[in-house]
Amino acid sequence: MKESPKLVETEGLDLATFGQRLRHVRRARGMTLADLGARVGRTPSVLSLIENGKREPRLTLVEQLATALGVPVGELLKKQPPSRRAQLEIALEQSQRDPSYRALGLPQLRVGTRVPTEVLEHLVGLATELRAQRSKPTATPEEARAANAALRSSMRERGNYFPDIERAAADALARASYAGGALSQGMLLSVVAQHGFSVRFVPDLPRSVRSLTDLRGNRIYVKQEPVGGHSARAVILQALGHFLLGHDTPRDFADFLRQRVEANYFAAAMLIPETAAVAFLRDAMSRRDLAVEDLVDVYSVSYEMAAHRVTNLITHHLELPCHFVKNDASGIIYKAYQNDGILFPADITGAIEGQRMCRQWSGRRVFSAPDRFSPHYQYSDTPAGTYFCVAQVDPRADERGYAISLGVPFEHSRWFRGRETTDRVKSNCPDGECCQRAPLTLAERWDGMAWPSARAHSHILSALPAGSFPGVDDVDIYEFLDQHAAD
């Protein structure tokens, strides 16, 4: 009995390289596509798709092609292009599929035999440099901090109120016949469908994204959370907001940051609609009972979103200046906003993010409160004046825990729940005698006798990730979309 030929492993076959090797060997044998097709029982058009890397051949066809061409199967399956020109053609084809190249809006360049090899060398060199430029960090930490400071200044000038986004959210809700109350999942999906999108909940969303939108299939992918997990409503609405607000690929980090703030604002305006929320807040103000937690209950949103939404509305509609802070247990500030004159710690660029807040502020003292998940009220005497603040650790945050603080100047505390508190502290920060330096007796005892190993805050100190969308892994998201496109 004749021994069967040994099967060759084809897993991981690079279609472009295989097609180039097939074309190279065919031409070397003086065959046309029609000649080779007649020998293997395939049409010239099918073989052309294979040679151009557009179709994956079955192993049996690879063996038939090798036999017809008189070469070992392994010769066709080598991972190296057959020539320098073939290598350049493959590199140019791959470059034209790269997002940085496609963003130029150039037509697809088809490389024929008449295109000189020197021209290919130039084109591939330019495409390689384009990718290299794109791979550089979107911004240095200094540039990112400056962008944050500039955006915060713009938000302060307008009282953190964006009328165009409010109108866009109101129009989207009206189109879906929203009748009021917390936005249900059914109503959310109706809103999304009104704009031509569908939502897919998946367990394998790439780790580098909160959502992923397939613009070919008009699908918004979000992570499938376990029962009782965090709601995906805000994430879905943020994704939709990018399109309804006319966002394009960010030009730089400042543009990326602006788009993210606007998308977050849109989601909040959808989940806590302006007209109803303002009426709710006015009523609470008339009863001197303004409270962030009431919006949490009524609209089923996170404490952070509710506090953000209060800052959007109370200055513009109720003429109440305010401030907002998000920080961790060590006092590191992640987000901050103010139009009430409070003095946040800041670096020389005016950046607040990454600075450590005073130990006496409510955002730090709440972590030592008997119940950190309930509102902690206090008055703080500061160099800029006295402020009434309420802080709470958001129970929906991750295991690290973040405190969310909302505050107003003393004269406006009369409108808020918790104003009766007798908890009053004094803060002299940024004066070092307040809390930035240890008490003298403590310093004398331990100065020179301590050697800490600092925990680096990588999100603040390191160079920012590369790409138009910082931190997003293009390979992960393209592979994900490819896998789910046929679902």
Side-chain angles (χ1 to χ4, degrees):
M1 177 183 290
K2 185 177 180 181
E3 186 177 352
S4 300
K6 182 179 179 181
L7 293 178
V8 180
E9 179 62 55
T10 61
E11 184 177 354
L13 176 67
D14 184 281
L15 300 184
T17 302
F18 176 81
Q20 287 283 358
R21 297 196 69 83
L22 177 60
R23 180 184 292 121
H24 179 78
V25 175
R26 174 179 63 78
R27 288 175 175 171
R29 298 292 187 271
M31 290 186 187
T32 65
L33 286 171
D35 294 335
L36 183 58
R39 295 192 180 193
V40 298
R42 297 293 192 278
T43 64
S45 61
V46 169
L47 295 182
S48 177
L49 288 173
I50 294 174
E51 287 192 353
N52 287 300
K54 305 298 185 184
R55 175 173 293 187
E56 181 176 359
R58 293 181 179 275
L59 178 58
T60 53
L61 178 55
V62 174
E63 294 172 336
Q64 291 171 357
L65 291 168
T67 300
L69 294 169
V71 296
V73 173
E75 180 68 21
L76 295 180
L77 295 178
K78 285 182 179 179
K79 296 183 178 180
Q80 299 77 27
S83 65
R84 174 57 180 166
R85 181 179 177 90
Q87 183 181 20
L88 290 170
E89 290 182 5
I90 293 172
L92 185 59
E93 174 64 27
Q94 292 173 339
S95 294
Q96 292 187 85
R97 294 198 297 266
D98 188 271
S100 59
Y101 192 104
R102 291 205 310 268
L104 299 176
L106 298 173
Q108 183 75 13
L109 177 63
R110 298 186 180 279
V111 179
T113 56
R114 295 183 180 181
V115 177
T117 300
E118 292 80 5
V119 173
L120 293 182
E121 292 276 10
H122 280 279
L123 291 174
V124 170
L126 290 171
T128 301
E129 179 59 24
L130 180 63
R131 283 199 304 273
Q133 291 293 327
R134 183 176 183 270
S135 67
K136 292 180 180 179
T138 305
T140 65
E142 292 74 20
E143 290 169 337
R145 291 178 183 132
N148 265 304
L151 180 61
R152 190 168 49 252
S153 175
S154 172
M155 293 164 64
R156 182 169 59 250
E157 289 174 2
R158 56 176 29 180
N160 204 21
Y161 179 76
F162 295 70
D164 292 345
I165 302 179
E166 297 286 358
R167 284 192 292 271
D171 290 345
L173 289 170
R175 286 182 57 177
S177 301
Y178 167 78
L183 193 68
S184 67
Q185 180 164 307
M187 179 58 65
L188 169 65
L189 297 181
S190 176
V191 168
V192 172
Q194 286 285 334
H195 296 280
F197 289 91
S198 62
V199 177
R200 298 296 173 90
F201 296 91
V202 293
D204 56 339
L205 191 72
R207 293 176 60 87
S208 62
V209 298
R210 296 183 298 180
S211 69
L212 181 55
T213 304
D214 173 3
L215 298 179
R216 181 177 292 117
N218 282 354
R219 295 175 176 177
I220 299 174
Y221 292 98
V222 293
K223 187 176 180 180
Q224 180 178 312
E225 298 286 358
V227 175
H230 294 177
S231 168
R233 294 180 306 156
V235 175
I236 294 169
L237 289 170
Q238 287 160 5
L240 180 65
H242 284 299
F243 303 101
L244 297 192
L245 300 177
H247 291 166
D248 202 349
T249 302
R251 299 183 302 274
D252 50 30
F253 183 76
D255 197 33
F256 165 80
L257 195 62
R258 175 190 61 80
Q259 290 185 8
R260 183 155 180 163
V261 166
E262 291 180 354
N264 289 346
Y265 191 112
F266 175 82
M270 291 287 289
L271 291 171
I272 309 176
E274 179 181 23
T275 301
V278 170
F280 183 89
L281 292 171
R282 285 191 189 282
D283 178 66
M285 185 177 180
S286 70
R287 294 181 282 106
R288 301 193 175 199
D289 196 31
L290 284 170
V292 172
E293 57 268 29
D294 287 352
L295 289 179
V296 174
D297 294 337
V298 171
Y299 292 101
S300 188
V301 296
S302 70
Y303 192 89
E304 179 178 352
M305 176 173 282
H308 261 305
R309 195 65 176 132
V310 169
T311 71
N312 298 153
L313 301 174
I314 66 171
T315 300
H316 181 77
H317 290 285
L318 306 182
E319 299 182 353
L320 298 179
C322 63
H323 66 266
F324 167 96
V325 194
K326 176 180 180 180
N327 62 276
D328 64 15
S330 67
I332 297 298
I333 297 175
Y334 285 73
K335 297 179 183 178
Y337 163 79
Q338 66 85 12
N339 64 12
D340 60 2
I342 197 169
L343 297 177
F344 289 126
D347 64 15
I348 57 174
T349 69
I352 295 170
E353 293 76 15
Q355 301 299 304
R356 196 184 301 277
M357 69 161 54
C358 179
R359 293 173 182 272
Q360 302 302 323
W361 284 21
S362 59
R364 292 194 69 176
R365 297 185 75 228
V366 67
F367 283 98
S368 58
D371 180 4
R372 66 174 63 180
F373 300 117
S374 293
H376 169 74
Y377 306 105
Q378 73 173 54
Y379 290 96
S380 304
D381 297 324
T382 78
T386 299
Y387 293 86
F388 169 77
C389 303
V390 54
Q392 179 174 320
V393 176
D394 194 335
R396 301 194 190 191
D398 61 27
E399 65 277 1
R400 289 176 292 179
Y402 295 102
I404 307 299
S405 305
L406 178 75
V408 296
F410 175 82
E411 59 268 30
H412 298 292
S413 63
R414 65 185 184 276
W415 308 115
F416 285 81
R417 183 181 303 164
R419 62 188 177 277
E420 302 88 355
T421 182
T422 58
D423 193 348
R424 187 161 186 165
V425 300
K426 183 176 180 61
S427 166
N428 290 327
C429 280
D431 185 344
E433 297 304 321
C434 178
C435 67
Q436 301 302 314
R437 288 196 291 267
L440 182 60
T441 54
L442 205 57
E444 288 177 344
R445 186 180 310 128
W446 290 105
D447 187 27
M449 302 301 295
W451 189 280
S453 179
R455 183 187 299 276
H457 297 280
S458 59
H459 67 289
I460 294 162
L461 302 179
S462 64
L464 290 167
S468 298
F469 301 93
V472 172
D473 188 321
D474 286 346
V475 176
D476 275 357
I477 66 173
Y478 294 155
E479 288 180 346
F480 172 89
L481 291 175
D482 231 23
Q483 177 183 347
H484 286 271
D487 291 353

